[in-house]
Amino acid sequence: MTGKTILILGGGIGGIVAARELRKHLAAHHRVILVDKSAIHSFPASFLWVMVGWRKPSAIQKPLALLEKYGIEFHHATVQSIDVDHRTVETDRATVHFDYLIIALGAELAPQNVPGLHECSHSFYTLESAEKLASTLTTFSGGTIAIVVSSIPYKCPPAPYEAAFLLESFFSQKAPGNVEIKIFTPEQAPLSAAGSQASQMLQELLRTRGIAFSTQCNIMSVNPLSRQLTFENGSTASFDLLIAIPPHQAPRVVQTAGLMNESGWIAVDERTLRTSHSNVFALGDVTTIPLVSGFSLPKAGAFAVGQAEVVAHNIATEINYKGISKQFLGTGYCFLETGSGRAGYISGNFYAKPVPEITFHEPSVKYHWAKVVFEKYWLWRWF
Ligand SMILES: Cc1cc2nc3c(=O)[nH]c(=O)nc-3n(C[C@H](O)[C@H](O)[C@H](O)COP(=O)(O)OP(=O)(O)OC[C@H]3O[C@@H](n4cnc5c(N)ncnc54)[C@H](O)[C@@H]3O)c2cc1C
């Protein structure tokens, strides 16, 4: 029997899980190839802890080549073009043919889309930027920290709020009363896609901690000299330290392959993650899945994992002519760090009708430690 080639583009959260699950279900004569431009996987949920100096980068990283011991072929290469009609992908190293394609290339950050942003903002959305911000925070003597969400959608909707809580805790010990934290977001309300209970609880927590937040603020430009933000509605705000969640977009290679719909992301079947091209799947942050609530399924690792498991299972079922196909049901969870050694826990079903059924569990020490355990588990489980 001839072997099939399953090509996975992107060795991030979804790609790693898809590769491991496929290898578990497929005989050795089928090839599982994982391509990533980075040789090292960095666990994104811990970038916030790098920001406040609780983690060294090396503690949250693993070489992707470790996956080769499971029979996964790792190609350290940059994907340059995707041709779904001819079933080939060009990387900067080779042309790779596939029988099945899984696109898990995530979201690309585009700070250059907001004039002035790149020049004067910090971030924690990459490991390098979180490390740089950590060193800036050690010398920041006080003033206004503005946390700006540049556009929607962005990955991990709780992350800007987690950053604010962690920074509030950090400075209340280091420089009490010296730092004011303000969040500016285009969202209608913090965490609005998670429903009103989660949003209201989060707003209450922000108020209690003295963290200001302004909603429906679309950033237009940043003046690095006067340190001023200008929003589309004409309002302005000044800052001493700017932390941005940069604009997100589909990776360029996805854009040029013509795989996106009008949302700017890849449309998939919400339960099978199939695209409109046969044997081509997409999962995780690179996709768009509209919800009945009018929002889209948030870009979060928890969903990328669940989707990867379903896609891998179904491809293996098809190849093996054995088993029953599965569906992704829209359930997920995440921890929301609130500082002072506590975290909240958000869980639920985003596909529930007529509205998503999501619960925000009160912050506690237990959930903070659950998040720590999850980090260790992730780095052990998949490598
Ligand atoms: C600070 C922060 C905190 C977060 N916290 C949480 C959390 O607590 N819980 C949660 O569920 N989610 C969290 N997330 C979100 C989560 O990290 C993402 O939703 C998740 O990583 C998406 O998985 P993915 O596989 O779609 O994409 P990614 O994990 O981003 O992987 C995409 C991969 O594609 C590779 N790639 C891109 N372009 C190319 C190319 N042209 N050629 C080759 N390789 C390429 C990249 O190098 C990357 O490895 C957080 C994100 C951030 C930034």
Side-chain angles (χ1 to χ4, degrees):
M1 197 166 71
T2 49
K4 301 283 186 198
T5 298
I6 302 95
L7 177 59
I8 304 165
L9 306 182
I13 299 289
I16 291 168
V17 173
R20 284 292 315 273
E21 290 292 298
L22 277 163
R23 208 55 289 179
K24 191 169 89 186
H25 297 300
L26 289 175
H29 64 284
H30 300 295
R31 297 176 70 193
V32 176
I33 304 176
L34 181 69
V35 183
D36 203 291
K37 63 184 176 185
S38 171
I40 307 285
H41 167 69
S42 306
F43 185 58
S46 302
F47 294 175
L48 284 153
W49 293 340
V50 171
M51 175 187 82
V52 287
W54 295 352
R55 288 288 182 282
K56 293 278 174 231
S58 58
I60 60 162
Q61 292 184 306
K62 291 278 184 184
L64 283 167
L66 284 178
L67 297 174
E68 288 178 349
K69 68 179 182 241
Y70 301 107
I72 295 159
E73 296 173 44
F74 173 56
H75 291 200
H76 179 202
T78 301
V79 179
Q80 292 186 322
S81 65
I82 303 168
D83 184 341
V84 288
D85 295 325
H86 296 96
R87 299 186 176 225
T88 52
V89 165
E90 296 285 343
T91 75
D92 55 352
R93 301 205 166 174
T95 303
V96 190
H97 298 269
F98 62 82
D99 296 295
Y100 290 87
L101 181 68
I102 302 176
I103 304 171
L105 289 166
E108 187 173 274
L109 303 179
Q112 69 281 1
N113 290 359
V114 178
L117 191 71
H118 190 49
E119 289 85 328
C120 64
S121 66
H122 281 271
S123 187
F124 55 90
Y125 261 56
T126 62
L127 184 56
E128 300 71 31
S129 63
E131 213 183 345
K132 192 166 156 233
L133 177 54
S135 111
T136 300
L137 292 178
T138 56
T139 54
F140 183 69
S141 53
T144 301
I145 299 180
I147 300 177
V148 174
V149 177
S150 307
S151 63
I152 303 172
Y154 63 94
K155 50 186 160 183
C156 194
Y161 304 101
E162 293 186 274
F165 289 128
L166 287 173
L167 290 172
E168 192 273 333
S169 279
F170 181 88
F171 284 109
S172 64
Q173 285 162 19
K174 188 173 169 262
N178 256 355
V179 171
E180 194 181 10
I181 300 173
K182 295 181 177 176
I183 303 174
F184 299 91
T185 177
E187 296 163 291
Q188 286 184 348
L191 229 51
S192 38
S196 59
Q197 187 254 357
S199 179
Q200 277 162 21
M201 244 176 101
L202 178 58
Q203 291 179 50
E204 191 48 41
L205 280 169
L206 290 166
R207 280 189 204 102
T208 314
R209 299 283 286 278
I211 297 166
F213 60 93
S214 304
T215 56
Q216 300 181 61
C217 291
N218 289 294
I219 185 82
M220 200 167 72
S221 64
V222 185
N223 186 328
L225 297 177
S226 60
R227 296 186 178 179
Q228 200 168 58
L229 310 166
T230 302
F231 297 97
E232 274 174 19
N233 62 8
S235 64
T236 59
S238 54
F239 62 86
D240 296 293
L241 178 67
L242 173 60
I243 301 176
I245 314 313
H248 288 37
Q249 61 189 25
R252 240 149 305 163
V253 65
V254 170
Q255 296 178 28
T256 52
L259 293 168
M260 313 174 323
N261 71 2
E262 61 290 346
S263 73
W265 306 93
I266 304 179
V268 286
D269 180 279
E270 65 171 23
R271 304 220 173 236
T272 62
L273 291 308
R274 283 182 189 275
T275 67
S276 54
H277 304 275
S278 112
N279 289 358
V280 177
F281 298 77
L283 56 86
D285 290 353
V286 76
T287 64
T288 181
I289 299 181
L291 302 174
V292 280
S293 56
F295 295 100
S296 299
L297 186 71
K299 299 193 182 303
F303 297 126
V305 168
Q307 294 170 346
E309 286 169 347
V310 167
V311 169
H313 173 93
N314 290 349
I315 291 175
T317 301
E318 206 168 292
I319 291 175
N320 294 334
Y321 297 109
K322 205 168 84 186
I324 299 165
S325 60
K326 286 186 179 171
Q327 294 197 337
F328 174 65
L329 300 176
T331 53
Y333 68 89
C334 82
F335 302 101
L336 192 155
E337 279 282 312
T338 53
S340 311
R342 288 169 180 268
Y345 179 68
I346 302 171
S347 65
N349 179 356
F350 281 75
Y351 286 178
K353 290 182 177 143
V355 285
E357 288 162 4
I358 296 149
T359 310
F360 187 163
H361 304 262
E362 285 277 352
S364 71
V365 173
K366 175 180 81 177
Y367 292 133
H368 168 72
W369 283 106
K371 186 166 181 167
V372 174
V373 170
F374 184 78
E375 173 203 56
K376 309 283 173 243
Y377 170 78
W378 173 267
L379 295 167
W380 165 82
R381 167 70 177 89
W382 302 108
F383 293 88

